[in-house]
Structures are given as structure tokens and as C-alpha cells.
Amino acid sequence: MKNVGVLGLGIYVPDKVFTNFDFEKILDTSDEWITEMTGIKERRFAEDDMDTSDMAVLAASEAIENSGVAKEDIDLVIVATSTGDHRFPSVANLVQDRLGLRNVPSMDQLAACTGFIYSMVTASQFIEAGTYKNVLIVGVDKLSKITDFTDRSTAVLFGDGAGAAVIGEVDEGFGIKSFELGSKGSGAPHLYDDAETGKLQMNGREVFKFAVRQMGESSVNVTEKAGFEADDIDMLVPHQANIRIMDAARERMNMPKDKMSCTIDKYGNTSAASIPLSIHHELKNGKIKAGDNLVLVGFGGGLTWGAICLTW
Ligand code: ACO
């Protein structure tokens, strides 16, 4: 059995910061409501001339550089996104060309906010099977493209960003120990991109209830499957959708606050990018170190969910 993990990570977030106070100027909302109900203080928005693929390319090139893997040794590109530049070609096709990679297979994967976890698991399966050695994965979304900025119940939640990783073989004892993926298409009406308006529609209450239950359950499941106790987990890295959902998962795991990655205050919900952005943030702060046991857990439109337990 091969040990599969992250060889290098890269991120990109746009420079433009949009605070809760900026929202107070355009919507009937308040910094107090947004902070209390979601944990978000500010988010980043990409300019009009920066599309999803532009963010993906920037994060991916940093990931490749940090991995030490040569561009010619990347064997597959998977981009997790719900906000691709076009219906086709895929963002992954554009990334393959713009990074000057070989003519390797490249494809997008759509699992909304769970996308990065889906892509990491997909990459790991190709590597374990011996089909490919190094897989570039990117979680990227420009949700501002599909956000209705007149709807206060959704507009304040999202931000733009990208996170990328090169997945490959790691030393024994490191890498992915267990995973879980799931979907429940009957939940589609609660969170979707409306074809007529081109804008995201959400039944916040329903998504909230689902997420609170599923995030906790999946975190516990992958921890057990990996043969760990909750105490063995050094950090929980949840999809950053709402601090109350994240805290519920953490409480289900009986983990203290300082063992949960929290970047939602800075970036809002960046969909497929939120997990790699958070890991990157904790690595920079020294809160994730080599040998730490992590649980990554996410949920999103679909409805979809997924979790991974790994040793960094
Ligand atoms: N500012 C002020 N008031 C607001 C705002 C706002 N931005 N948004 C909603 N409200 C009001 C509502 O109008 C409502 O007022 P009313 O009682 O007078 O009707 C009140 O606040 C409560 O609204 P609810 O929607 O019932 O509040 P809830 O407790 O459900 O919280 C929230 C809303 C924060 C959106 C929550 O439901 C949530 O986080 N849901 C999950 C969202 C999520 O994680 N989505 C993931 C998307 S991931 C993906 O795949 C893209």
C-alpha cells in the first residue's frame, strides 16, 4: 500500500478586501449580525478581469514550486470548482496549458464546497493504483460571479480564492489514513446555481441543519476509520462556511477551540478553496507541523460531503 499525501501547497487570494462595514453601505445588514451569525468579518473579491482560472493558475504554480516536483512530472490535473470560466473547456484544461504542463489529462470536478476533498481523494486513488505519480489538484471559486448582491441572506457569506496542492507518494507513516465521501441529491433544492438568474440560491436553515449533523459525523467516522481517538487529532480543518457549523463539528469531536482552524473571519466562505487556504494559514503560523494528525471535513451544494484523516 502506498502512502499518499501533500507534497506542496499554494494559495491565491485577491487583494480587494470587502468588510462587513462595506456591506452595511449596500444592504440592510450590520457587522454585528454577520459576525454573530457567521463569524465572518471580511472577505476578498476578485476584480472583473480576474477569472477563476487566473486564480487557479497562481495557486497551482505556487503549489508546484513548493512541492519540488518538476512541471514535466505532473501526470494529471484536477480542478474542483463550481464557477469555471466557461461551461467548457474546463478550468483544468486552461491550467494545464497556462502552466506549460505536458499534455496530461485534466478535468474539473464539481462537488461545490466539498470539491477539494473529492479531488484529493480522486488524486490519491490514481496514485495508489500506480496509474499516476504526481497529481495537481486545485480548489478554486469565484463565487462573487454568482452572488446576488441584493440578497442579504447570501451575499454576506461568500468570498473568492484558490488553494492548490501537489499530491504524491510520501514517507511511511505519513499521508492519508482514511476518507469518507457522500452525496444526497434530494438536497439539491436547498443550495444551487439557478440557471435562469445565474445566481446562487440557498435555503440557509436547511443547509445549516444538514451541515451541523454531517460535519460532526464525518469527522468522527474518518478518525475512527484511521484507528485514532479524537485526542490523537492535532487539528480539525473544517470547510469555512459558518463558525457555528464549524464549532458544532469541533464539539462533536470533543476538541478545544485552539485545535480548529478558523480563517472564516478573513476570507468568508470561499467554497472549494476554503480547506487548502486554511491549511496554508496554519502552516504559516506554525500550528500545523510535519507529523500532525489532521481531519479535513467539508460539505456543500449537492448536497455533498467528505472528510479525510491524514498525517501531515
Ligand atoms: N443581515 C441582517 N439580517 C439578516 C441577514 C443579514 N445579512 N440575512 C438574513 N437576515 C435576517 C433574515 O431576514 C431573518 O429575519 P426575519 O426573522 O425578520 O425573517 C433573520 O435574519 C433570520 O434569518 P435566517 O435565515 O432564518 O437565519 P439563520 O439562523 O438560518 O442564519 C445563515 C442564516 C447564517 C445563512 C445560516 O442559515 C447559515 O449559515 N446557513 C448555512 C449556510 C451555508 O453554510 N451555506 C453553504 C454554502 S456552501 C456551497 O456549496 C456554496
Side-chain angles (χ1 to χ4, degrees), residues 27-30 33-34 37-38 111-114 143 152-154 156-158 191 200 202-208 211 239 241-242 244-245 269 271 299-301:
L27 285 173
D28 178 17
T29 189
S30 65
W33 191 94
I34 302 169
M37 297 298 276
T38 72
C113 302
T114 322
L143 282 174
R152 67 176 182 173
S153 66
T154 54
V156 301
L157 303 177
F158 303 110
L191 182 55
L200 180 146
M202 184 177 74
N203 179 342
R205 277 275 163 94
E206 284 302 320
V207 176
F208 189 89
H239 167 49
N242 184 316
R244 295 181 292 146
I245 296 171
N269 177 351
S271 189
F299 73 95

Side-chain angles (χ1 to χ4, degrees), residues 106-222:
S106 53
M107 59 182 169
D108 285 2
Q109 199 165 37
L110 206 167
C113 302
T114 322
F116 190 80
I117 289 185
Y118 264 65
S119 295
M120 195 162 160
V121 170
T122 307
S124 75
Q125 298 306 293
F126 277 115
I127 296 163
E128 273 188 26
T131 315
Y132 299 123
K133 202 156 177 271
N134 302 301
V135 182
L136 172 66
I137 64 169
V138 186
V140 57
D141 269 304
K142 186 179 178 186
L143 282 174
S144 59
K145 279 200 294 194
I146 60 163
T147 299
D148 177 356
F149 283 100
T150 64
D151 174 9
R152 67 176 182 173
S153 66
T154 54
V156 301
L157 303 177
F158 303 110
D160 301 333
V166 176
I167 307 295
E169 251 191 274
V170 293
D171 290 340
E172 197 163 345
F174 294 85
I176 297 174
K177 298 284 195 285
S178 64
F179 70 84
E180 168 176 300
L181 298 177
S183 71
K184 187 179 169 215
S186 60
H190 300 317
L191 182 55
Y192 63 99
D193 173 20
D194 185 63
E196 248 168 63
T197 61
K199 300 295 176 198
L200 180 146
Q201 296 292 332
M202 184 177 74
N203 179 342
R205 277 275 163 94
E206 284 302 320
V207 176
F208 189 89
K209 276 193 291 187
F210 158 78
V212 160
R213 187 176 28 80
Q214 194 60 55
M215 294 274 275
E217 204 170 299
S218 294
S219 302
V220 169
N221 288 347
V222 291

Side-chain angles (χ1 to χ4, degrees), residues 18-37:
F18 203 85
T19 67
N20 292 347
F21 298 106
D22 293 322
F23 267 120
E24 284 183 358
K25 292 177 202 146
I26 59 167
L27 285 173
D28 178 17
T29 189
S30 65
D31 172 56
E32 196 189 348
W33 191 94
I34 302 169
T35 306
E36 199 170 300
M37 297 298 276

Side-chain angles (χ1 to χ4, degrees), residues 20 38-43 240 262-268 281:
N20 292 347
T38 72
I40 300 165
K41 296 297 286 182
E42 58 188 45
R43 70 289 288 145
Q240 312 277 310
C262 183
T263 56
I264 191 169
D265 53 330
K266 288 171 208 53
Y267 303 129
H281 179 81

